[in-house]
Amino acid sequence: MITYIARRLLFLPVVLIGVTLMIFVAMSFLSPYQLVSTYIKSPEELKNQSLDDLVRKYGLDQPVHVRYVNWMRNLFRGDLGYSVSANMPVAEAIARRFPATVELALFAIVPVILGGIWLGTISAKHYNRPLDHLSRTFAIVGWSLPDFVFGLILLMVFYGVLGWFPPGRLSMWADSIVLTGDFTRYTGLNTVDALLNGRPDIFWDAVRHLIAPVMTLAYLWWAYLLRITRSSMLEVMNKDYVRTARAKGLTEQVVMGRHVRRNALIPVATVSGSMVLGLLGGVVIVETVFDYKGLGLLTATGAQQLDYTLVLGTTLFYGLLLVLINLVVDVLYAVIDPRVRLE
Amino acid sequence: MKTKVFSLIVLLLTLSLSVSVFAFDPETFVYVGGAGGPQTLDPAAAYDTASGEVIHHVYDNLFEYVGGDLDKIGPMLALEVPTVANGLMSEDGRTIRVPIRQGVKFHDGSELTAEDVKYSFVRGMLADPAGGPMWMFFEPLLGVQTMRDVIAMAGGPSDFAEIDEVDPAILRKAYDLIDATIEVDGNDIVFHLVDPYPPFINILAKGGSWSSIISKEWMAAQGDWDGNPDTWAKWYDLALEEMTLYDKANGTGPFRLDTWDKSGAQILLSRFDEYWRGPAQLKSAVIKNIPEFSTRLLMLRAGDADGIYVGQQELPQVRSIPNVAVVEGLPQVTNTVLFFSFTIPIEGNEDLVGSGKLDGNGIPSDFFADINVRKGFSYAFDFEAYLNEVALGAGEIPKGPFPQSLPYVNTDQEYFTHDLNKAAEYFKQAFDGEVWEKGFKVGIVYNTGNDARKTALEILEYNIERINPKFQVEVIGLEWATVLDRLRSASLPVFVMGWLMDFPDTHNFAVPFMHSSGTFAGFCGQGLIDLAKEQFDELIAAGIKATDPAEREKIYFELQKQYVDLAVGMPFMEATTHRVMRDWVEGFEYCPAYSAQYDLYYISKVQK
Amino acid sequence: MVMKKLLRNPLSMIGLLLLLGFILVAVFAPWIAPTSEMYANDPYRVPRYGWGNNPEPPSSEHPMGLTQGKYDIFYGVVWGTRTAFLVGLIVTGLSCIIGIVIGSTSAYIGGKFDEVVMRFVDVFMSFPFLIAAIVITTILGRGLDKVIIALVIFRWTGYARLIRGNVLQVKQEEYIMAAQAGGVSHRKILIRHVLPNTIFPVLIQASMNMGSIVVTASTLSFLGLGAPEGHADWGQMISFARNWILGTPDNPVAYWYTVVWPGLAIVLFVLSWNLIGDAFRDIMDPRIQG
């Protein structure tokens, strides 16, 4: 197993170099004066400035390979560069935004999995009967809804009409305590930090801001988990030992709970790994609609402003995350299920 | 399990409701903008509205506009406004003495001195970050545009890559040149201008973030330049984030900068209790940025925001909201102009110029160098339709390149009207009738995301295509980055841009629109540069040097007439602006020169 | 056999009917929503009725109303159907072809070559998809062609992996070995023997992705990176509704038509593919054959 892990880790630099190289190749399509738009962001900001001076100042006229080498050199010194669109060093931007994304992912994963499994179980139990069709249709509609439509609708209902779940990460009052008061930021996760600081009010405020984005994400992902749960449950239900259990006269509830569901959940567990990854990569639209300041929103904004140092930094980070999480998932899977052999 | 999940949800809902009970905070003002956050808080580098917004509250200037009136300049950190009459300004307008107010405190508790005032401007000029506003000091004080020019004046190169390549002796000489322009005399500051520059006082007035007063001692304590004539180059043209004042501030303004929470895109300000005019009524203020309009609107409706940014086109949606006040028709000194490129490169530009020939499938490089083509375009535009339907009546149709709210603008100047017959007449004369006979095809460009500009071009398209079926106009949206790139090579045959004043003087419009080295001339091709050199440059130079108002008026009337007669460009809108706030906001004061949406010093909140 | 099963299942039946409806709309678009003379050279350009900005409710002239910018919603929805099929088909087609060619060749040749190609695929897959698409469209500029390029660049890898797995299995079959031993050229083996036995699941998978491609394309439009303004495109129609979705305080659904019609179009379109796809997966899933 150790050689397997080592081999996978050896592959890490390849991915990272490949990813960053691709961005630089894409960058080479841009002229220095297109890149100036990172500094002069809109026609309104175009004043009595010399574009040439800006190009010279920020070295935008350097050939792409020179910039790549410089960037690599700085990377080895631990410097990811400065992000103009985020107004801070790239490393700091990631360090600040990533906890927000982690928090959203953690809160989303629970209802996504529970709801998906619940729907999947209903579907499997009532295979090809109206309740199966109903729960599948419900989930597939969610899957078919573009997230920006559904997110905006939720925002309208739960904030506009009811006033329950506001956008952002914290209310203004909580924000000012977190930013300026004697509030220690241990993790950057508002909910966790609030509890650690003994501020239940801030905890609930943070939770309140998470509900609507989590609802959006959950409805989008349920169809996926429903399908996995349903088919693996159906598979298990056809297995001999389940039939035997039934024949023994065990109640349906016991059969389902003890035999079927437990075995059917192994594939769900693996899928969850890739789902967490998807969530951590940043959910651009949900973050945009709910003004939730996470990694996805940061990167999307940066990309649109041609802030390539930021895009490089975040994709590098994401590549790293992807390789590591995949590795962890694979290894865990092998540990849980002895039939799986790592190769 | 089902019941457990359900009860958990119910629990969450109740809890969330219990804290969402709305609390009115009379001492905190929340403004939510949407067009982007500040780039830097350094007065020497900031040149965008969002940055100016914050700087406005934290720093003071020497002068201010009394009651927001652009014609009424009053003292702020100065004791008096210099005029020839009160003897503070010399007869020739080149020496200006400004007595400095005593007893004013910076946020760190230290007291303002004349030395601080001098330091503020000298340090800004020496730092001169590329893309910044410091040209406004170089031009009146030394007759140049950048620090590079000053180094060249001192005998150095102007095309150096790094400043350490320049001989230290020359750097010292450059410093001396700048140092000599501003003199400390006891509690007074004396400016020595290279030529008279009537709007110099305006440049120093509130609203000009570049002329904010900073503390010399505090800067030195932060490790910035301490005034040593030989070390300034270390702080020359740094990246924005490397500058000391990038996200720190120590001004004399009514609010302190608490935090610039960059990851939360918000700025937290708190009242400065020892403010020299007495403390503000608000205890704190938050300036946020949320690009999504719907989110901003909901915050306003919920009362979480006291004021939000609303685009002109979204105004109809906020007018009917209860407890929300919409103040409309606020004058601005700005215009929106349709530009023509006189010399368009053909190669690599085929998507816009087609064949590059006058054969009905494109346009030649000098298409817009023909005055008849420009006039044809200008008479084809439906100014009224744009004003009434797109801008919803919020503004005026211009009379030339200078907004009519400025002095020295001839409001009786004859201007283009929507007249397709006249347009046809000019098109028939263009290129000796060839244009009319063969037709043309041209791509006209707006930057994507700007719906109003797109519509303006569509109005033009619709009307020009009605004149002659052989005329083909295609409206093309390009990303801002691409627009910028192609502007630089004058590649856009027709494009729309606007200019928002730096300081309220006609000169500030004459230069960008008409001078051969102005911002827009370069985007309009060599053809316009040549024309400007021949006909406009001298007049513009004479206009700014003239101290007699009657003489200035004559010059600017002439410039305005020439611009319209030659149809150099087609200004089509002078927009007014508006504010959208909760009706509990009291003390709203407006000044067209201020970047700040609300002058927080005067604001208070009173629940109705 | 498959078709029969699809028709028997009520969900896929609904999906098929919906899809048929969309195909009809796309084919007969010029008759359903005729192009006005002014825009005759570009029928995909949605006509504007006025230069203003405010939406207008449905009327006899404009059965679905006018959205922001006075664009005719009905026209946009009808011609947007063509855009949806166009984007879906081109992206699916191109990425499928690229994926199949690269994936099958890589698997068939195997060894070091396969290893290198797969690492290459891994690199592509290490980008968060939407962010990658945003980067590409920002760099290339606005336009549907750019959206298509961006989607293809990051979509082919999935198909390449899928077909690679299948080819690796088939490669071991005796008849392939026999063909190789018999001196049949590799290209012939790949095209005649390997692909026909491996391509089907990939094609199914690809057609099932039509829905998500259309959603992604419309997401880019929503972010202002998709179709040029005024092009008949559902995503853009919804982004026009973005600022109006909240209605007025006294009437939250004052501008319902701006979001409902294009929203309905896109949801039903995607739904039809997903319903069929869901049923398909049931049919294809060997584990559910009870």
Side-chain angles (χ1 to χ4, degrees):
Chain A
M1 180 178 286
I2 291 184
T3 44
Y4 172 79
I5 295 176
R7 234 188 59 201
R8 287 275 295 261
L9 286 180
L10 217 61
F11 167 58
L12 189 60
V14 179
V15 168
L16 299 186
I17 291 177
V19 166
T20 51
L21 206 57
M22 272 180 61
I23 297 201
F24 269 98
V25 169
M27 294 283 309
S28 63
F29 285 101
L30 296 171
S31 81
Y33 297 95
Q34 279 176 300
L35 292 173
V36 165
S37 70
T38 315
Y39 302 92
I40 300 177
K41 293 190 181 111
S42 68
E44 288 68 35
E45 286 177 21
L46 180 69
K47 301 290 287 180
N48 195 2
Q49 299 129 328
S50 155
L51 300 186
D52 295 290
D53 282 353
L54 279 169
V55 166
R56 180 164 41 191
K57 174 170 181 175
Y58 292 103
L60 304 177
D61 49 354
Q62 287 167 350
V64 171
H65 62 270
V66 173
R67 262 186 277 159
Y68 189 60
V69 170
N70 283 344
W71 184 78
M72 270 292 175
R73 195 176 296 146
N74 287 333
L75 182 67
F76 280 113
R77 275 193 232 122
D79 180 9
L80 277 175
Y82 189 86
S83 160
V84 180
S85 67
N87 282 316
M88 59 179 106
V90 173
E92 190 188 336
I94 294 174
R96 281 184 187 218
R97 291 298 192 93
F98 188 55
T101 299
V102 170
E103 190 167 33
L104 182 57
L106 286 181
F107 272 80
I109 201 77
V110 177
V112 167
I113 290 180
L114 289 185
I117 291 176
W118 185 58
L119 287 170
T121 316
I122 291 180
S123 270
K125 269 200 240 172
H126 303 269
Y127 176 59
N128 253 347
R129 272 174 288 162
L131 217 50
D132 177 24
H133 295 319
L134 195 71
S135 82
R136 275 165 66 201
T137 313
F138 171 73
I140 294 174
V141 167
W143 191 20
S144 309
L145 269 172
D147 39 5
F148 49 96
V149 176
F150 188 56
L152 280 174
I153 291 172
L154 284 190
L155 189 69
M156 172 173 77
V157 173
F158 287 109
Y159 184 54
V161 180
L162 299 171
W164 293 354
F165 311 136
R169 280 189 76 195
L170 282 176
S171 297
M172 216 72 73
W173 62 267
D175 229 354
S176 57
I177 294 172
V178 170
L179 283 173
T180 51
D182 321 305
F183 190 94
T184 328
R185 308 229 55 172
Y186 299 101
T187 60
L189 275 62
N190 286 335
T191 47
V192 177
D193 286 353
L195 290 180
L196 290 177
N197 280 278
R199 291 298 299 249
D201 52 340
I202 293 183
F203 174 78
W204 285 117
D205 190 61
V207 170
R208 211 155 66 94
H209 286 80
L210 281 163
I211 293 177
V214 164
M215 278 165 83
T216 317
L217 288 172
Y219 194 28
L220 293 176
W221 285 82
W222 277 339
Y224 185 47
L225 270 167
L226 178 150
R227 164 134 298 276
I228 307 273
T229 317
R230 177 172 172 270
S231 45
S232 62
M233 277 190 73
L234 286 174
E235 185 191 12
V236 177
M237 276 158 81
N238 289 330
K239 287 258 160 74
D240 286 343
Y241 63 90
V242 176
R243 292 198 183 146
T244 319
R246 277 221 186 87
K248 275 197 308 195
L250 292 177
T251 62
E252 191 62 22
Q253 209 161 359
V254 175
V255 176
M256 277 293 173
R258 200 173 290 165
H259 297 280
V260 179
R261 200 177 308 178
R262 188 176 297 168
N263 287 303
L265 289 189
I266 293 179
V268 176
T270 29
V271 167
S272 304
S274 65
M275 218 156 55
V276 170
L277 199 63
L279 288 170
L280 289 182
V283 273
V284 177
I285 297 299
V286 168
E287 291 184 355
T288 307
V289 169
F290 293 101
D291 189 40
Y292 189 89
K293 304 249 172 4
L295 202 56
L297 184 56
L298 176 83
T299 318
T301 323
Q304 290 194 54
Q305 292 178 16
L306 296 178
D307 182 356
Y308 71 100
T309 37
L310 179 79
V311 174
L312 278 169
T314 46
T315 39
L316 189 74
F317 179 71
Y318 188 75
L320 196 72
L321 209 64
L322 184 107
V323 173
L324 292 182
I325 292 187
N326 273 340
L327 181 58
V328 170
V329 168
D330 287 353
V331 169
L332 279 184
Y333 195 39
V335 171
I336 296 168
D337 191 341
R339 284 170 304 174
V340 176
R341 281 181 46 216
L342 297 174
E343 50 175 328
Chain B
M1 194 195 81
K2 242 179 286 178
T3 44
K4 257 187 260 168
V5 173
F6 185 70
S7 52
L8 185 73
I9 292 175
V10 171
L11 182 76
L12 280 176
L13 284 179
T14 7
L15 275 162
S16 58
L17 285 179
S18 62
V19 277
S20 72
V21 174
F22 171 65
F24 173 79
D25 179 356
E27 295 199 297
T28 302
F29 185 87
V30 180
Y31 171 71
V32 186
Q39 295 195 341
T40 167
L41 302 184
D42 192 321
Y47 205 3
D48 60 303
T49 325
S51 304
E53 167 105 41
V54 180
I55 292 172
H56 183 100
H57 306 303
V58 178
Y59 295 96
D60 281 337
N61 300 58
L62 291 178
F63 308 105
E64 68 175 343
Y65 297 102
V66 179
D69 186 345
L70 293 185
D71 298 328
K72 236 189 261 170
I73 289 196
M76 199 174 191
L77 292 181
L79 281 172
E80 251 182 295
V81 179
T83 57
V84 178
N86 66 17
L88 292 174
M89 190 187 286
S90 65
E91 278 291 338
D92 64 359
R94 289 181 52 216
T95 309
I96 300 171
R97 175 177 288 269
V98 183
I100 304 299
R101 191 179 292 277
Q102 299 302 298
V104 173
K105 280 215 168 103
F106 282 104
H107 297 161
D108 68 347
S110 62
E111 258 189 51
L112 170 77
T113 63
E115 195 59 49
D116 289 320
V117 178
K118 173 174 175 174
Y119 177 85
S120 302
F121 306 139
V122 170
R123 172 252 167 198
M125 284 191 274
L126 293 171
D128 192 31
M134 294 317 291
W135 67 271
M136 277 180 264
F137 289 90
F138 288 113
E139 191 173 287
L141 294 175
L142 290 151
V144 295
Q145 293 292 317
T146 63
M147 193 61 214
R148 268 175 199 277
D149 299 340
V150 180
I151 291 171
M153 272 170 84
S158 67
D159 58 347
F160 55 87
E162 299 286 337
I163 191 148
D164 10 318
E165 293 165 18
V166 184
D167 178 6
I170 288 179
L171 293 180
R172 174 61 195 253
K173 213 170 144 203
Y175 168 83
D176 291 337
L177 282 172
I178 287 180
D179 183 61
T181 58
I182 305 174
E183 190 189 327
V184 175
D185 181 12
N187 288 329
D188 296 358
I189 279 284
V190 185
F191 294 99
H192 299 285
L193 278 57
V194 62
D195 280 310
Y197 201 93
F200 186 62
I201 301 289
N202 296 95
I203 290 174
L204 299 177
K206 188 92 202 165
S209 53
W210 40 84
S211 55
S212 300
I213 304 303
I214 61 176
S215 160
K216 181 177 180 179
E217 239 172 82
W218 183 82
M219 285 292 279
Q222 304 295 313
D224 203 291
W225 183 58
D226 57 2
N228 184 332
D230 294 313
T231 58
W232 63 270
K234 206 178 138 197
W235 290 273
Y236 169 73
D237 195 17
L238 295 177
L240 294 184
E241 69 275 10
E242 290 166 356
M243 298 173 76
T244 303
L245 295 177
Y246 167 64
D247 57 0
K248 281 188 266 184
N250 178 37
T252 61
F255 289 88
R256 292 168 183 276
L257 173 70
D258 281 342
T259 328
W260 178 4
D261 169 22
K262 292 159 197 148
S263 55
Q266 57 183 347
I267 293 210
L268 273 59
L269 303 172
S270 67
R271 177 167 64 204
F272 175 44
D273 288 320
E274 291 168 88
Y275 186 51
W276 61 276
R277 287 197 283 194
Q281 296 160 76
L282 293 170
K283 210 171 130 205
S284 58
V286 182
I287 299 171
K288 276 177 93 77
N289 184 62
I290 298 180
E292 186 69 35
F293 169 68
S294 300
T295 312
R296 291 200 300 275
L297 181 59
L298 287 173
M299 290 182 76
L300 179 77
R301 278 205 216 161
D304 290 338
D306 298 296
I308 60 166
Y309 167 75
V310 177
Q312 179 66 41
Q313 305 208 316
E314 280 117 32
L315 264 190
Q317 281 187 77
V318 293
R319 287 205 189 96
S320 61
I321 305 176
N323 302 320
V324 165
V326 181
V327 187
E328 293 184 65
L330 301 169
Q332 287 186 111
V333 187
T334 178
N335 60 8
T336 314
V337 179
L338 187 87
F339 292 94
F340 311 108
S341 175
F342 286 47
T343 318
I344 315 161
I346 300 298
E347 207 175 312
N349 213 14
E350 290 81 4
D351 55 335
L352 304 178
V353 298
S355 61
K357 291 186 209 96
L358 197 56
D359 56 3
N361 279 316
I363 53 166
S365 171
D366 57 352
F367 187 63
F368 288 104
D370 187 323
I371 185 173
N372 293 306
V373 175
R374 301 198 298 269
K375 287 204 161 173
F377 269 75
S378 302
Y379 278 107
F381 187 73
D382 192 342
F383 295 88
E384 298 281 340
Y386 182 84
L387 174 62
N388 295 323
E389 290 177 47
V390 184
L392 304 170
E396 263 185 293
I397 296 170
K399 298 277 187 192
F402 313 138
Q404 293 160 80
S405 44
L406 289 173
Y408 318 128
V409 179
N410 184 1
T411 49
D412 296 327
Q413 168 69 43
E414 207 183 312
Y415 196 62
F416 306 110
T417 49
H418 179 47
D419 187 339
L420 291 185
N421 292 329
K422 253 191 184 162
E425 244 170 70
Y426 283 110
F427 277 125
K428 278 176 190 157
Q429 292 169 37
F431 284 82
D432 297 322
E434 257 188 279
V435 169
W436 188 262
E437 199 185 302
K438 294 185 177 154
F440 62 83
K441 190 177 174 195
V442 60
I444 60 181
V445 169
Y446 68 98
N447 61 293
T448 50
N450 197 321
D451 294 344
R453 286 181 187 175
K454 171 179 184 259
T455 308
L457 293 181
E458 282 181 345
I459 292 175
L460 193 64
E461 172 197 25
Y462 170 75
N463 285 297
I464 287 181
E465 290 185 349
R466 278 202 303 169
I467 296 174
N468 182 337
K470 287 181 193 156
F471 294 177
Q472 292 173 62
V473 174
E474 195 185 347
V475 178
I476 295 174
L478 293 177
E479 296 297 317
W480 167 237
T482 310
V483 170
L484 198 55
D485 180 49
R486 296 180 74 167
L487 274 177
R488 207 196 137 266
S489 49
S491 300
L492 305 180
V494 171
F495 60 95
V496 180
M497 293 275 264
W499 184 261
L500 184 66
M501 66 155 184
D502 297 311
F503 47 87
D505 192 272
T506 323
H507 177 69
N508 190 229
F509 283 78
V511 173
F513 288 101
M514 301 184 72
H515 198 276
S516 61
S517 65
T519 302
F520 298 118
F523 304 154
C524 294
Q526 194 58 41
L528 178 60
I529 294 177
D530 294 342
L531 176 72
K533 275 188 184 149
E534 197 184 302
Q535 282 188 272
F536 308 143
D537 285 8
E538 261 174 60
L539 265 178
I540 294 172
I544 188 64
K545 277 182 201 162
T547 45
D548 174 20
E551 197 189 333
R552 289 198 81 196
E553 180 177 288
K554 215 181 101 200
I555 292 170
Y556 290 115
F557 274 28
E558 176 60 24
L559 279 169
Q560 181 185 354
K561 184 173 178 302
Q562 288 198 18
Y563 190 92
V564 178
D565 285 351
L566 292 169
V568 175
M570 189 198 81
F572 62 92
M573 185 66 197
E574 286 168 15
T576 56
T577 186
H578 53 267
R579 294 287 183 275
V580 177
M581 60 190 111
R582 296 293 302 206
D583 61 1
W584 58 56
V585 175
E586 304 252 317
F588 168 63
E589 280 205 20
Y590 176 76
C591 174
Y594 296 169
S595 318
Q597 295 271 322
Y598 296 88
D599 197 340
L600 295 177
Y601 182 63
Y602 300 103
I603 295 281
S604 62
K605 282 165 75 174
V606 181
Q607 188 152 33
K608 303 229 154 102
Chain C
M1 212 281 278
V2 171
M3 210 56 204
K4 214 169 174 187
K5 278 191 178 169
L6 279 183
L7 288 174
R8 253 204 340 242
N9 185 317
L11 291 192
S12 51
M13 189 62 211
I14 296 174
L16 282 173
L17 281 177
L18 281 172
L19 190 60
L20 187 69
F22 278 110
I23 292 174
L24 289 176
V25 170
V27 170
F28 293 105
W31 288 273
I32 301 171
T35 312
S36 72
E37 226 168 275
M38 161 121 194
Y39 298 140
N41 54 351
D42 182 10
Y44 284 97
R45 189 166 160 187
V46 184
R48 294 181 76 169
Y49 293 90
W51 304 119
N53 194 46
N54 275 21
E56 279 173 31
S59 62
S60 54
E61 264 164 90
H62 310 294
M64 291 182 180
L66 302 178
T67 189
Q68 172 178 300
K70 309 264 187 227
Y71 290 100
D72 189 84
I73 299 177
F74 180 70
Y75 191 95
V77 166
V78 169
W79 285 84
T81 314
R82 282 193 170 195
T83 308
F85 275 112
L86 216 66
V87 172
L89 288 175
I90 295 180
V91 170
T92 314
L94 280 182
S95 45
C96 229
I97 292 171
I98 297 175
I100 287 172
V101 169
I102 294 183
S104 59
T105 328
S106 168
Y108 186 78
I109 294 176
K112 281 269 178 293
F113 181 77
D114 184 39
E115 180 81 5
V116 170
V117 171
M118 281 306 116
R119 293 295 83 85
F120 193 62
V121 168
D122 282 337
V123 168
F124 273 92
M125 290 188 120
S126 306
F127 285 97
F129 174 66
L130 190 57
I131 287 181
I134 291 173
V135 172
I136 299 286
T137 41
T138 312
I139 288 175
L140 295 179
R142 209 174 165 131
L144 275 180
D145 44 342
K146 277 55 165 226
V147 170
I148 289 172
I149 293 173
L151 293 185
V152 169
I153 290 182
F154 291 99
R155 278 277 179 180
W156 63 270
T157 50
Y159 305 124
R161 273 201 176 170
L162 193 62
I163 195 141
R164 175 176 171 271
N166 295 342
V167 172
L168 283 180
Q169 273 180 2
V170 174
K171 223 171 108 178
Q172 308 302 327
E173 304 275 342
E174 273 172 30
Y175 65 95
I176 304 284
M177 304 272 195
Q180 277 169 339
V184 183
S185 83
H186 288 305
R187 224 179 81 194
K188 220 171 194 177
I189 296 177
L190 194 58
I191 294 172
R192 288 265 175 83
H193 302 288
V194 177
L195 281 185
N197 288 301
T198 50
I199 209 167
F200 192 56
V202 179
L203 293 182
I204 302 265
Q205 174 73 37
S207 60
M208 293 316 107
N209 282 344
M210 286 276 288
S212 73
I213 286 169
V214 172
V215 168
T216 314
S218 68
T219 302
L220 288 174
S221 284
F222 176 77
L223 291 172
L225 296 166
E229 273 160 41
H231 192 93
D233 172 75
W234 294 335
Q236 188 176 68
M237 302 284 285
I238 294 175
S239 83
F240 282 150
R242 186 180 190 172
N243 290 346
W244 306 90
I245 205 163
L246 300 172
T248 54
D250 42 314
N251 183 8
V253 291
Y255 305 107
W256 61 274
Y257 48 90
T258 60
V259 67
V260 165
W261 297 122
L264 210 58
I266 194 165
V267 171
L268 290 181
F269 185 84
V270 179
L271 189 65
S272 71
W273 287 103
N274 286 347
L275 285 175
I276 301 169
D278 205 53
F280 240 126
R281 286 195 187 95
D282 259 15
I283 296 165
M284 293 317 219
D285 195 336
R287 293 176 298 172
I288 324 184
Q289 305 303 328

